[in-house]
Amino acid sequence: MKPSIEVVKTTSENSDFVFLIETFDTFLWERYPELKTDYWGNNLIEFNANVIIIYLNRKPVGCGCFKKYNDTTAELKRMFVSPEARGLGLAQLIIKELENQAKNQGFETFILETLYKQIEAINLYQKVGFEIVENYEPYVGLTNSVCMSKSI
């Protein structure tokens, strides 16, 4: 039976988004316990109206959002797909949906930050057109960060 995939545009107040982000944070801090103090402040979620959640067979399995970085640039944030849902192209779907929203809001560029050990994420971002760039604020000087950019 073909899986049912649903894309929902929502806000950061959505309980499924909160659940996915808590799951993501647990994964990150288990993988990078030594970095928690350097990065924790960058992972706080203030209200965000630009959230996408992916449901697989009615279960929330992926999310992402973006926020304004400056007048022409949006920052991709909180990209996560549950391990059991990986390999289905859901992360690419999330990115495409968020790019379309950002473009419709007048943004020209997407930027993001990930950690150097996130090889799968870096490969995914490069696959969809992101290029590694010099670290932008607030990641300047953080050698564990990999910053990327893409014209949308």
Side-chain angles (χ1 to χ4, degrees):
M1 183 160 121
K2 187 175 179 183
S4 163
I5 297 172
E6 182 183 6
V7 179
V8 174
K9 181 184 181 322
T10 186
T11 73
S12 56
E13 293 178 342
N14 182 296
S15 61
D16 289 336
F17 179 69
V18 172
F19 165 76
L20 287 165
I21 292 309
E22 288 171 353
T23 303
F24 183 37
D25 283 343
T26 298
F27 166 78
L28 286 177
W29 304 138
E30 286 174 357
R31 193 167 190 185
Y32 305 100
E34 73 282 6
L35 301 180
K36 193 169 184 175
T37 54
D38 288 342
Y39 287 87
W40 183 252
N42 297 325
N43 287 330
L44 301 177
I45 298 290
E46 58 268 334
F47 178 79
N48 189 314
N50 302 303
V51 171
I52 292 290
I53 298 175
I54 298 286
Y55 292 86
L56 181 62
N57 300 324
R58 298 189 176 176
K59 179 184 177 194
V61 296
C63 64
C65 63
F66 69 87
K67 68 178 189 176
K68 179 180 179 176
Y69 186 78
N70 62 36
D71 288 343
T72 60
T73 305
E75 184 179 21
L76 186 63
K77 302 290 286 182
R78 312 311 282 159
M79 279 291 304
F80 178 69
V81 175
S82 300
E84 75 273 10
R86 292 181 184 160
L88 301 174
L90 301 181
Q92 291 179 56
L93 180 58
I94 294 167
I95 293 168
K96 182 177 167 113
E97 292 288 331
L98 292 170
E99 283 179 0
N100 289 338
Q101 283 184 32
K103 196 181 236 182
N104 289 340
Q105 293 179 33
F107 293 107
E108 300 168 4
T109 305
F110 243 174
I111 58 174
L112 65 85
E113 180 272 346
T114 191
L115 295 169
Y116 77 97
K117 288 183 186 176
Q118 298 292 100
I119 302 302
E120 306 90 344
I122 293 167
N123 290 340
L124 164 74
Y125 296 136
Q126 288 178 322
K127 183 178 181 177
V128 298
F130 282 87
E131 296 180 354
I132 295 174
V133 296
E134 288 204 23
N135 288 7
Y136 56 87
E137 288 294 340
Y139 307 105
V140 173
L142 295 177
T143 57
N144 293 302
S145 289
V146 175
C147 291
M148 303 180 86
S149 178
K150 176 183 181 180
S151 294
I152 55 174

